Amino acid sequence: MSADFAVCYPLKRGRAHEACGPGATYFAATCCNFSDKPAFWISPSWQQGGLNPEGLAAYCDPTRLLLARAASQIDILAVAEEALRSGAVGLVVAEIYEPLSLTHGRRLQLAAEAGRTTGLILTPDGMGSNAAETRWCCMPLSGDRDSTLHRWDLIKNKSGTLENWVTRWDATARRVIVVSKAGERPRAASATG
Amino acid sequence: MSLWFPRLASDRALRLRPVEAAFALTAKQSNTDRLHCLDARAERAGLARGMTLSDARALQPDLITRPADAPGDARFLRALARWAGRYCPWVGLEGADGLVLDVTGSTHLFGGETGLIADMRMRLSRAGMETRIGLADSRGAAWALAHFGEGIAAPGQPLQALGDLPVAALRIDPKLVIGLERLGLRSIADLHATPRAPLARRFGNGVLLRLDQALGAQPEPVTPLADPPHYGVRLTLPDPIGLLEDVQAGAARLLAQLCSKLRHHDQGARVLLLTLRRVDQASQQVELRLARPMNDPQAILPLFDRGLAGIEAGFGIDQLRLAAIQVEDLPPAQIQSAVRQDENDGLAALITRIGTRIGLENVQRFLPADSHIPERSFIIAAAAFSDPAPSWPLLRPRPLRLFPPEPVAGTGRTPPARFRWRRMTLRVERQAGPERLTPEWWLEDESWRSGLRDYWRVETAQGRRLWMFHTPQHPGWYVQGEFA
């Protein structure tokens, strides 16, 4: 199971991916670590609940983050395409608020391929396009002691099967760790939590 | 011709904001506030330059003071020099508070020397500047007249005009002035009558040089201010062009010219304006705002693509004009490793390209700020005009997203066990807190009017982890952020 996660999770470079659900911001924040180039985060200019760099600092380095505030969905997509194509950044995160058409999704995919850059589109539920390489639905989970549990459902995968994982954040190693499923969990691990 | 503005700094301050009382500017010198420049009313009250501010206040309790702004005064003097260009082209600066003009050959345009001076005096007094003007054959004599007597020296007879002035009018060291006065040489006429050899032996050649310069025996040229370089080039075409490639080729040719000029002055363009004039006299403009100063034509040219694509050529374009509207210093930098250099160049080009679409100020970055208030613990700055912070201090767990406080129903000092937020019913499973934050009283903030806040990290059975706070002084519960 974890082998599959290792294939999917550091998102495939040069492709555009999608994430939805309430934990999508966290998912994007953990993805910022995988490149030594800066990350580019595009959001609507009227958005109220903005990113908090103090919170981001736990997952990635906010000093290596560039923000763009665009007025409309078309601007967001245009900026995302430009950033993906340039290859000057390692990850482009775009927050959209309207459904993404197949044309727009495909354009982003081509731009990501041209720039060898990873794209991640944060969509509202069910507004993604069919052109995405993978789509992740991210939900925070309540845990007994662990307050970093997330359930990541891989709900679309162009090059593999669908799967879901429960992950937690390891603050010392600063990386995502998959929590073993209940049936496979060794006894010792369940005793300590 | 010499102009002296004895109260340049205070006149400038009073022009900006007039006051109805004795006024002075103060400057900090060796940890003491001293009077830097004062107006006539303060001078009449017995105050003088260099006096400490506390002494001045004891003498004149209703004295109004403001801090002096030396760079602003220097800019103002340059502006005055530009203005003085209306009288003659040969204008130089004389110290920090004077101008020197070579008006030879231009006085007849203003009705002779007296007419020129009257016109100048009228305009300067209308602008609120106190001025002393001296006009003489030599620069030294004009300076002496401006500072110690005013007036016009008759041509060819400098000694007659200067003879009665004190030796200090020769622009010599105050120590030498005292030395000369001890010998009984009080006026310039006295000094002129003294044998030169003993004077030179005792006081050095400087005194005699200044004397000769004042009397016109030694030349002393006026150095005019250099014109600031003009960063604009144009290309006029014999036949109108209309193809995008042709316009790009024209822009490339202009850019190469402009950039070589910029490089020569160690400058980089920040804002470029390309004006395209059409055959029917209409003109179109493409403005390019760069993310950092640049003077490399190969790097700038592709950035024009988006702007040029939107140009309507009509019947054809027959003139191109390229100007750098805003330039910044761009000294040659040490060559970095090629990879790092490419990365920085690529990022700056990307910011510029995106800036042409959504505005350069909408490409931003986070910078840390020194505050415990969550909304003020960071600032968002335009990426093109700021450098990234070296590191980010990680102090306490903070939410990933921060929104304006959203009220929820609840009473008591601990978080409510169940509450509704964003149309979801949430049950609290665990909570950590409180972390008390007090408002910053030195900053007025509408949203912190409700006083202290006790922040709690709340984990709900539904999975959402929220940052809630309670305001004990105006009881109420709010949600302000969401953790990962």
Side-chain angles (χ1 to χ4, degrees):
Chain A
M1 197 58 59
S2 62
D4 269 351
F5 184 74
V7 169
C8 298
Y9 174 57
L11 297 175
K12 209 188 233 181
R13 245 180 87 196
R15 308 293 294 170
H17 306 260
E18 284 178 7
C20 61
T25 310
Y26 163 72
F27 183 79
T30 61
C31 291
C32 293
N33 282 329
F34 295 119
S35 167
D36 50 352
K37 290 181 187 170
F40 206 84
W41 196 300
I42 309 153
S43 50
S45 52
W46 40 264
Q47 192 187 51
Q48 279 283 336
L51 283 177
N52 180 18
E54 295 218 292
L56 277 178
Y59 306 106
C60 60
D61 185 2
T63 60
R64 300 179 51 73
L65 193 63
L66 281 170
L67 310 168
R69 302 198 152 267
S72 66
Q73 168 115 342
I74 289 297
D75 276 348
I76 294 175
L77 294 174
V79 170
E81 188 183 357
E82 190 83 64
L84 283 170
R85 200 175 286 281
S86 80
V89 289
L91 173 76
V92 178
V93 183
E95 293 181 51
I96 60 166
Y97 57 93
E98 279 171 7
L100 193 65
S101 74
L102 184 61
T103 319
H104 292 152
R106 185 74 192 132
R107 277 189 75 142
L108 291 176
Q109 197 66 258
L110 291 173
E113 276 169 30
R116 307 270 308 123
T117 313
T118 316
L120 180 60
I121 322 293
L122 306 188
T123 63
D125 279 341
M127 291 194 186
S129 88
N130 227 5
E133 172 75 21
T134 58
R135 186 176 305 131
W136 300 72
C137 184
C138 312
M139 290 286 288
L141 275 188
S142 78
D144 293 343
R145 278 170 218 172
D146 198 346
S147 38
T148 61
L149 286 187
H150 277 257
R151 182 192 162 93
W152 287 354
D153 288 340
L154 185 60
I155 55 176
K156 174 181 164 59
N157 188 0
K158 274 201 170 170
S159 49
T161 52
L162 305 186
E163 189 51 73
N164 64 68
W165 296 277
V166 174
T167 63
R168 69 182 184 84
W169 177 254
D170 185 340
T172 46
R174 289 171 72 91
R175 67 191 195 91
V176 174
I177 290 176
V178 176
V179 178
S180 330
K181 294 214 164 161
E184 303 163 355
R185 188 178 295 181
R187 291 193 78 77
S190 69
T192 57
Chain B
M1 176 174 196
S2 180
L3 265 73
W4 180 41
F5 305 103
R7 303 183 210 287
L8 178 82
S10 67
D11 281 344
R12 172 171 163 268
L14 288 172
R15 264 163 61 86
L16 297 176
R17 203 143 43 101
V19 296
E20 285 296 322
F23 175 80
L25 290 173
T26 61
K28 204 151 206 151
Q29 288 166 355
S30 53
N31 227 11
T32 317
D33 273 327
R34 289 180 184 276
L35 297 194
H36 171 67
C37 190
L38 49 161
D39 73 344
R41 209 174 302 161
E43 215 155 66
R44 273 201 299 281
L47 308 185
R49 282 187 185 206
M51 199 180 243
T52 57
L53 180 59
S54 41
D55 286 354
R57 281 223 193 284
L59 278 171
Q60 184 74 19
D62 60 347
L63 180 71
I64 294 175
T65 60
R66 277 180 224 155
D69 171 20
D73 292 338
R75 280 199 299 275
F76 184 54
L77 188 64
R78 282 183 168 264
L80 282 172
R82 242 181 79 99
W83 165 81
R86 73 195 301 281
Y87 295 106
C88 69
W90 218 247
V91 185
L93 301 184
E94 180 78 82
D97 53 0
L99 296 178
V100 53
L101 284 69
D102 190 347
V103 291
T104 312
S106 65
T107 52
H108 68 279
L109 299 172
F110 300 90
E113 289 171 350
T114 45
L116 176 74
I117 288 180
D119 182 69
M120 203 175 250
R121 212 182 277 286
M122 185 269 289
R123 285 173 193 277
L124 283 170
S125 68
R126 202 166 57 188
M129 302 297 301
E130 189 176 330
T131 324
R132 307 274 175 76
I133 301 174
L135 201 156
D137 290 350
S138 68
R139 184 177 175 175
W143 191 92
L145 284 171
H147 284 73
F148 289 89
E150 289 206 272
I152 304 174
Q157 291 148 325
L159 201 57
Q160 224 166 39
L162 298 182
D164 295 336
L165 299 184
V167 283
L170 288 177
R171 293 178 287 169
I172 52 180
D173 192 8
K175 276 186 192 155
L176 292 179
V177 173
I178 295 172
L180 289 167
E181 283 179 346
R182 283 209 182 117
L183 294 182
L185 302 173
R186 292 184 188 283
S187 68
I188 293 178
D190 293 345
L191 193 65
H192 185 65
T194 318
R196 293 173 67 92
L199 263 184
R201 225 174 13 248
R202 180 146 184 183
F203 295 104
N205 280 327
V207 176
L208 291 176
L209 175 70
R210 285 304 194 189
L211 182 67
D212 288 346
Q213 283 177 343
L215 299 180
Q218 287 267 358
E220 187 185 4
V222 173
T223 313
L225 288 178
D227 277 338
H230 174 67
Y231 299 112
V233 284
R234 72 171 127 194
L235 180 68
T236 313
L237 305 164
D239 275 322
I241 55 172
L243 292 177
L244 186 60
E245 291 79 45
D246 296 347
V247 177
Q248 275 171 345
R253 206 183 283 187
L254 290 178
L255 207 53
Q257 269 182 50
L258 185 70
C259 286
S260 74
K261 191 163 185 181
L262 285 167
R263 252 202 297 272
H264 179 73
H265 290 282
D266 279 352
Q267 302 270 308
R270 200 66 202 254
V271 180
L272 289 165
L273 183 70
L274 180 66
T275 310
L276 305 166
R277 204 190 63 189
R278 299 202 312 216
V279 188
D280 53 2
Q281 299 298 311
S283 65
Q284 284 171 306
Q285 295 188 321
V286 182
E287 194 190 41
L288 180 67
R289 298 174 68 205
L290 298 166
R292 47 165 205 160
M294 287 167 83
N295 58 16
D296 179 15
Q298 268 76 42
I300 299 176
L301 190 62
L303 302 176
F304 264 115
D305 286 353
R306 188 182 145 75
L308 288 181
I311 286 292
E312 191 62 55
F315 293 109
I317 292 162
D318 66 352
Q319 192 190 65
L320 290 85
R321 184 170 184 282
L322 180 69
I325 299 178
Q326 205 180 321
V327 293
E328 275 178 21
D329 286 341
L330 182 62
Q334 182 181 337
I335 297 168
Q336 295 171 322
S337 79
V339 178
R340 185 115 198 98
Q341 184 76 37
D342 282 355
E343 201 172 289
N344 287 344
D345 286 353
L347 206 56
L350 173 66
I351 292 175
T352 304
R353 268 202 307 277
I354 290 175
T356 56
R357 173 148 198 139
I358 60 170
L360 209 51
E361 59 286 340
N362 283 329
V363 185
Q364 301 160 333
R365 69 168 104 243
F366 291 122
L367 295 177
D370 192 12
S371 172
H372 291 293
I373 305 288
E375 305 91 303
R376 286 211 219 103
S377 58
F378 61 92
I379 47 177
I380 293 181
F385 304 102
S386 62
D387 290 320
S391 68
W392 201 282
L394 183 58
L395 301 171
R396 293 172 177 286
R398 286 281 182 260
L400 211 47
R401 283 196 184 269
L402 208 57
F403 30 82
E406 296 170 9
V408 295
T411 51
R413 289 180 164 263
T414 52
R418 300 169 78 85
F419 60 92
R420 276 182 73 75
W421 173 68
R422 293 190 180 174
R423 289 193 261 168
M424 290 181 283
T425 306
L426 300 172
R427 189 162 58 78
V428 175
E429 201 158 70
R430 248 178 317 157
Q431 60 210 28
E435 180 190 346
R436 176 161 287 190
L437 293 183
T438 53
E440 292 175 334
W441 53 264
W442 55 92
L443 284 173
E444 198 66 20
D445 191 344
E446 201 59 45
S447 57
W448 280 75
R449 280 282 163 75
S450 51
L452 300 175
R453 291 181 181 183
D454 286 338
Y455 278 94
W456 294 77
R457 298 174 58 196
V458 172
E459 290 177 31
T460 62
Q462 284 73 20
R464 309 296 285 263
R465 294 181 266 266
L466 302 175
W467 209 36
M468 299 178 71
F469 69 85
H470 174 57
T471 46
Q473 289 166 334
H474 297 83
W477 279 94
Y478 302 86
V479 181
Q480 207 196 352
E482 187 172 6
F483 287 94

